[in-house]
Each structure stands twice: as structure tokens, then as C-alpha cells.
Amino acid sequence: MRRKLVVGNWKMHGSLGRNRELLEAIKPALQGLEGRVEVAVCPSYLHLADTIAALAGSHVGIGAQDLFGLGEGAMTGEVSASMLADAGVGFVIVGHSERRGRLGETDARAADKFAAAREAGLVPILCVGETRSERNAGETETVVLRQLDAVIDNQGIAAMDKAVLAYEPVWAIGSGDPATPQQAQAVHALLRERLKQRGGDIADGIRILHGGSVNAANAGELFAQPDIDGGLVGGASLKAREFITICASAGS
Ligand code: 13P
């Protein structure tokens, strides 16, 4: 039985004051869900330390939105996996489509980041997803499997143990046009099947989150699908009530 996980990806939003307000608002409600659903939030690098302090003593986990794919060293402006682990971070998002699409992050770069995260004891959340034009061209399967295989080819199937996968159709992100539960389930099942084909005993245990316009109104139906194990939530994770409702739907 996979325990559901809801991760709030705050992206490039927030300020010290607004984050504290949001955390104060969600903390008590999320405390009530302890044991039923796992929850984490991913603030910007700059806001990690303050968020960790604000969540001290709560069961809400902390994730970073990115990392550099090599160990500590001469790399101006970057943050290593070991720095994140040392600061108290538990999860890290790898290969988000905003980085793949707008910053040219390749499958190979995502694989390096995935490896660095694991080595430092972080749980990587590997994002895969197709663009609208790829879906229209019937390339959804090819794209998401290529993105997943790039990491397995590089790291081996055993490296997926304890990792988290996230299927985020790019066309659904921030668009208010979510995948239907059926569309989402089909791709989630495909990803799990691929993990099985690649020899993974871990396929049944790995959590595959769904992302892309997940909100309080649609989370319940999405999370009820057999291969959807929670959500990677952007915009709705910045609104206390929405986020609490989404987490509660995962815990029901
Ligand atoms: P939205 O929930 O704002 O569509 O963003 C999804 C996402 O990209 C989470 O990583």
C-alpha cells in the first residue's frame, strides 16, 4: 500500500512574510492529517532556511526545487545536494518542465541531478511530461518513457527505490486545464508498467504524483485513480485553504 504524498511547489513565489503567513495557516490543519498523508513544501532556495525553522516540530517535509548535479565545488550560483541535505532538506524536484523547457535542461542533466540527490540521501522527485504539441502528435508515451529511461539507463533501476516520480503534462501546468483523471491514469499506469519492464521490484512501491492544475475541486477524483499516489501542486499550494483541501483529499 503506497502512502499518498502531496508536495507544494512554490516555484518563484513568496516572501519571508507571505511564506510565514501561509505556513502558520496550513500547519495546524496538516498536523491533523499526520499518519494519513505525507506532505512537503518546496520554497525557493532563499526561503528554505526560514521554512525549515517555521516547520520545526511538524511532520511537513521540505523540498528544494532544484540542485546542481555535481558535488560541492567551483560552480558560481549553484547549490549542491550535500548543502541541501545539511540544511535539513528531504526532497528535491528534478527535471521540472519549466527547467527543461525554458532553461534547456536535458535528460542527461536531469539524470546527473537525480544521481547527486540520491548520493546525498535526498529523495528526488523526477518530473516527466509532454507538451501540447507532443500530445497532439501522439508522442506522449515516447516522451515520458524517454525521460524516465534516461535516468534508469544512467543510474540503474535500483536507483528508483525510494525516489518519487511525477507526471506533469506541460499543457496542464498553470493553464487551468488539467488532464482528466482517465488521461492522467493512463500515463501513470504506463510509467509503472515501464518500471516493471525494466526489472523493478520497486514498481509497485514507487509513488507517482500528478501535477498540472491540481486544485481543491479536482484532487479527489485524480487521487482516486489506482496509479496516482498524490500530487505535485503549484498555484493551489500557495492558497492555504486549497492546499489543505488537496492534502485532505489525499488522506481520505
Ligand atoms: P500548477 O499546479 O500551478 O499547474 O503547477 C504544477 C507544477 O508545475 C508543479 O510542479
Side-chain angles (χ1 to χ4, degrees):
M1 180 66 182
R2 297 181 293 269
R3 183 148 169 251
K4 289 221 170 22
L5 168 66
V6 178
V7 179
N9 175 7
W10 292 356
K11 307 193 178 183
M12 200 170 67
H13 293 286
S15 67
L16 290 171
R18 276 172 17 231
N19 296 354
R20 275 184 214 142
E21 253 174 58
L22 177 60
L23 291 167
E24 283 316 305
I26 62 175
K27 230 166 65 167
L30 296 185
Q31 217 56 40
L33 293 171
E34 186 169 2
R36 289 198 280 144
V37 56
E38 195 177 343
V39 178
V41 294
C42 303
S44 76
Y45 284 143
L46 192 61
H47 295 146
L48 276 170
D50 203 67
T51 304
I52 289 166
L55 288 173
S58 93
H59 76 293
V60 179
I62 310 281
Q65 298 175 16
D66 189 35
L67 77 165
F68 193 65
L70 292 176
E72 194 169 324
M75 197 59 235
T76 304
E78 292 295 335
V79 174
S80 74
S82 59
M83 289 173 179
L84 294 173
D86 178 55
V89 169
F91 295 91
V92 61
I93 297 172
V94 170
H96 192 281
S97 64
E98 284 152 12
R99 302 197 63 84
R100 292 181 190 264
R102 298 177 67 178
L103 296 169
E105 199 162 294
T106 59
D107 289 341
R109 179 70 49 91
D112 288 344
K113 292 185 177 194
F114 186 96
R118 283 194 75 252
E119 205 171 307
L122 301 172
V123 175
I125 302 173
L126 174 67
C127 300
V128 301
E130 82 289 0
T131 62
R132 170 67 75 194
S133 61
E134 287 165 341
R135 173 162 282 258
N136 290 344
E139 292 167 356
T140 300
E141 294 194 5
T142 314
V143 171
V144 300
L145 294 179
R146 187 201 75 223
Q147 292 169 335
L148 174 60
D149 281 344
V151 172
I152 301 175
D153 290 345
N154 185 282
Q155 292 297 302
I157 186 69
M160 298 306 296
D161 187 26
K162 297 196 185 72
V164 173
L165 258 184
Y167 170 53
E168 298 203 299
V170 180
W171 47 272
I173 294 178
S175 65
D177 177 24
T180 64
Q182 295 69 30
Q183 282 173 322
Q185 165 58 23
V187 179
H188 282 240
L190 174 84
L191 291 167
R192 200 177 305 284
E193 191 50 41
R194 182 59 135 220
L195 291 166
K196 278 188 193 143
Q197 283 168 1
R198 297 292 310 251
D201 294 342
I202 43 100
D204 284 328
I206 192 166
R207 291 181 291 190
I208 310 180
L209 309 185
H210 190 72
S213 297
V214 173
N215 60 32
N218 62 30
E221 216 188 332
L222 283 164
F223 297 167
Q225 302 303 308
D227 288 294
I228 299 185
D229 306 307
L232 183 54
V233 184
S237 72
L238 300 169
K239 300 176 196 147
R241 259 170 198 279
E242 284 268 322
F243 192 58
I244 290 164
T245 306
I246 292 167
C247 295
S249 337
S252 59

